[in-house]
Amino acid sequence: MRRIRPEEVARARKDPRLLDAAEYRSGTPGAYRMSADDWLRRGNCAEAEPDVMYPEPREPIDEALAMCASCPVRTPCLVRALEARDRHGVWGATAPRERRAMIEVWKDINPLAVGA
């Protein structure tokens, strides 16, 4: 796995998806559960084939990102991925590469982050 570049981390700090996730997480202390079935079942990807959301490296992820674009649970999905430090698959309309930089920022901005 390649190293995260400082400019990627700087970009992640300003990413509206990450900022929305941090705001969402700070508004749900103690009540948030990463595996809560109530939001998982409402995701646009709930019926998707796993290969769509977990493509092989270098395979296109456009279909998954399009599915995420209008997903009603996109933000809690991203929070789940950040808290679990999930670096695989498409979560919360983010590619694994984007999320690696977001995870670095998440540790700094979210004192409730798992394993921080």
Side-chain angles (χ1 to χ4, degrees):
M1 186 180 318
R2 72 172 185 77
R3 296 188 98 150
I4 302 164
R5 296 183 184 119
E7 60 270 17
E8 291 173 309
V9 174
R11 221 176 8 256
R13 288 187 191 286
K14 298 175 187 173
D15 192 304
R17 297 168 298 180
L18 179 68
L19 298 175
D20 287 347
E23 184 177 333
Y24 176 88
R25 181 61 179 101
S26 69
T28 56
Y32 179 77
R33 290 185 357 197
M34 289 192 305
S35 62
D37 288 339
D38 58 323
W39 69 264
L40 283 171
R41 285 183 267 148
R42 292 191 333 247
N44 288 353
C45 64
E47 302 294 322
E49 291 293 324
D51 290 348
V52 173
M53 303 312 288
Y54 290 92
E56 292 295 323
R58 294 181 181 48
E59 280 187 7
I61 61 171
D62 300 338
E63 184 179 353
L65 292 176
M67 197 178 304
C68 291
S70 63
C71 186
V73 295
R74 181 176 61 198
T75 300
C77 178
L78 179 56
V79 170
R80 180 252 166 245
L82 294 170
E83 296 228 337
R85 295 188 174 153
D86 197 325
R87 297 166 192 253
H88 305 285
V90 175
W91 291 88
T94 61
R97 188 164 128 191
E98 293 174 301
R99 222 169 30 259
R100 282 194 292 273
M102 287 181 177
I103 288 167
E104 291 302 310
V105 175
W106 189 254
K107 291 186 286 189
D108 295 337
I109 66 172
N110 191 349
L112 302 173
V114 173

